[in-house]
Amino acid sequence: MSKILLVVGARPNFMKMAPLYFAMSQAEGIEPAIVHTGQHYDYAMSQAFFEDLELPEPHHYLEVGSGTHAEQTGKVMIEFEKVLGADEPDLVVVFGDVNSTVACSLTAKKLHVPVAHVEAGLRSFDETMPEEINRRVTDAISDLLFTPSTDGDENLRQEGANHTRVRCVGNIMIDSVVTILSRISAAQEEETLRQLDLPPRDYALVTLHRPSNVDAKDSLNAILRYLNTLAERIVVVFPMHPRTRKNLARFGIDTAFNKGFRIIEPVRYREFITLQKNSRFVLTDSGGIQEETTYLRLPCLTLRPNTERPITVTQGTNELVDMTNVAEKSDQILSGNWKEGAVPPLWDGRTAGRIVEAIEEFAGAGHLQ
Ligand code: UD1
């Protein structure tokens, strides 16, 4: 029996882990266990996702909470080392690019426990993003590298990764989108929109939390002023990340907004997928939402100078924008003039099964010793 620890810490990890947990639970000879570092700890940022994804309680909860990057990374390492000592797993699986991802892969490798990275190979080539450092370090030390698209394989090849350890398996987040969509009825969709008083397909959905957008008063203020103007033309709904909300208060930004501009609390997973599916377009700085909108074939504007997910631009419905062209691009979408996009290969809801098969194969080839 192989004991495999699946590590999650922050909101975007949960929907990547869930399909793999269920696929491993059904596989013969694999015993998966969930480790939650507690990087995200609010009910709305964490437990609500476990509920919607029908996950069990984490087997280990490390309660690290927030802090500076060093504090958060350090605390995760100290606590995760104790779990590794007690559980003696055969493999640790980490997801995405958050601080918990790099902290747990480092800790495991130093104790000679093999590491698999799901969502390997993504690069923004922007080292001012903490996530880019997390991606590069995690990929450099992981034993198995599971990429969502072939551009990831190419990035890893350029960095000299051992190609026998790289496998393009597709996008695991889409597995969760497919599952949750099958569980949301038309009546439930209507109810979510009714509760938030949103006209179907006639509102813009906004999420922003990147330090580059929200950690300086001027940029956050400029973005909010723009959204307030946009709200004169179309309802704007903004489920606000705790980081953004804290900064709004800290900077003392005027929040007397137009009636059409609705700032709400972060919403749970099933509500967020419903909100995306029924929106006219999405404005975001998230990584995962660029992918979800590409899968849903919904126009997406990403307020960032770069993306680690270029396939969402070259094949999907996404475009990068800045404050000089966001109004023009929004107008273009509102006038019905936007690319249709295509869903990239292997974004088909079956990635978790491919990962399980690959792990069994790698283990058979002796790559996990
Ligand atoms: C983290 C990830 C980012 C991911 C994002 C999604 C890193 C470096 N960043 O950014 O890649 O896209 O999650 O949400 O790992 N907070 C709460 N309640 C919570 C969680 C956070 O109040 O449940 C507060 C923290 O106290 C902190 C701020 O939000 O002040 C930021 O949290 P943190 O985990 O440091 O990074 P995120 O901005 O959420």
Side-chain angles (χ1 to χ4, degrees):
M1 196 61 138
S2 300
K3 182 153 199 183
I4 301 188
L5 294 185
L6 304 177
V7 176
V8 288
R11 185 170 62 175
N13 287 159
F14 308 133
M15 59 290 266
K16 295 170 193 164
M17 178 271 288
L20 192 55
Y21 175 77
F22 293 117
M24 284 183 170
S25 300
Q26 282 174 6
E28 242 175 74
I30 297 184
E31 191 192 332
I34 300 170
V35 181
H36 187 333
T37 66
Q39 176 174 343
H40 283 177
Y41 44 89
D42 286 352
Y43 174 82
M45 298 292 286
S46 174
Q47 199 185 325
F49 283 75
F50 272 70
E51 291 170 7
D52 282 2
L53 294 160
E54 300 185 6
L55 284 163
E57 291 281 308
H59 301 80
H60 299 277
Y61 188 72
L62 309 185
E63 285 186 84
V64 300
S66 356
T68 65
H69 284 282
E71 283 166 353
Q72 198 169 53
T73 309
K75 277 194 218 161
V76 173
M77 291 183 73
I78 291 166
E79 295 306 316
F80 188 54
E81 190 173 53
K82 295 175 194 163
V83 173
L84 292 174
D87 274 29
E88 299 187 351
D90 299 290
L91 177 70
V92 166
V93 183
V94 296
F95 301 84
D97 56 16
V98 303
N99 285 339
S100 300
T101 308
V102 70
C104 292
S105 50
L106 261 176
T107 312
K109 279 301 283 185
K110 293 212 169 184
L111 292 181
H112 311 294
V113 179
V115 175
H117 184 204
V118 175
E119 204 183 87
L122 299 189
R123 297 291 180 269
S124 65
F125 303 100
D126 175 358
E127 289 193 2
T128 65
M129 284 180 80
E131 295 83 358
E132 182 72 357
I133 316 289
N134 296 343
R135 291 179 199 117
R136 287 180 51 182
V137 174
T138 304
D139 283 343
I141 60 176
S142 289
D143 300 273
L144 306 180
L145 296 153
F146 294 120
T147 63
S149 45
T150 50
D151 51 319
D153 301 39
E154 179 55 23
N155 290 334
L156 292 169
R157 196 186 62 75
Q158 299 258 358
E159 290 171 16
N162 178 345
H163 69 94
T164 60
R165 312 273 174 114
V166 178
R167 182 73 56 89
C168 184
V169 288
N171 191 329
I172 197 157
M173 264 211 350
I174 304 306
D175 291 25
S176 278
V177 176
V178 169
T179 303
I180 202 84
L181 284 175
S182 73
R183 288 190 194 145
I184 302 172
S185 67
Q188 286 169 331
E189 278 187 38
E190 271 172 35
E191 180 57 18
T192 299
L193 298 185
R194 198 193 55 74
Q195 277 178 4
L196 292 168
D197 192 21
L198 293 172
R201 273 161 284 283
D202 205 15
Y203 59 89
L205 175 63
V206 176
T207 83
L208 298 164
H209 72 278
R210 293 266 163 231
S212 55
N213 282 327
V214 308
D215 279 5
K217 181 176 179 179
D218 287 352
S219 70
L220 182 56
N221 197 35
I223 294 167
L224 292 171
R225 294 303 127 207
Y226 167 66
L227 293 174
N228 197 38
T229 315
L230 179 65
E232 287 168 7
R233 300 183 55 201
I234 184 167
V235 172
V236 175
V237 61
F238 186 172
M240 194 172 268
H241 189 285
R243 171 188 281 275
T244 312
R245 193 175 281 280
K246 280 182 191 172
N247 288 340
L248 199 64
R250 181 159 67 98
F251 299 144
I253 288 176
D254 177 12
T255 52
F257 296 122
N258 289 324
K259 211 164 104 277
F261 186 15
R262 318 222 180 112
I263 295 179
I264 61 174
E265 290 301 309
V267 297
R268 44 199 310 149
Y269 183 58
R270 53 187 302 142
E271 284 177 338
F272 194 73
I273 296 294
T274 301
L275 288 187
Q276 281 190 78
K277 192 180 156 206
N278 287 281
S279 69
R280 186 81 173 271
F281 74 98
V282 177
L283 174 69
T284 190
D285 58 11
S286 149
I289 294 168
Q290 298 172 52
E291 301 178 329
E292 289 169 346
T293 47
T294 277
Y295 179 75
L296 296 168
R297 309 192 63 182
L298 196 80
C300 180
L301 301 179
T302 298
L303 192 56
R304 283 176 43 187
N306 49 56
T307 176
E308 61 289 334
R309 292 156 160 97
I311 199 165
T312 61
V313 176
T314 55
Q315 291 189 27
T317 49
N318 186 27
E319 271 201 36
L320 301 181
V321 293
D322 59 28
M323 290 312 288
T324 67
N325 67 357
V326 64
E328 179 198 325
K329 294 288 178 183
S330 309
D331 286 351
Q332 197 184 321
I333 293 172
L334 291 178
S335 66
N337 176 16
W338 202 251
K339 56 188 173 181
E340 278 187 21
V343 178
L346 303 181
W347 293 26
D348 57 1
R350 296 205 288 271
T351 291
R354 286 190 284 269
I355 293 178
V356 171
E357 276 171 27
I359 286 176
E360 286 167 342
E361 206 183 295
F362 281 126
H367 284 329
L368 294 187
Q369 273 124 44

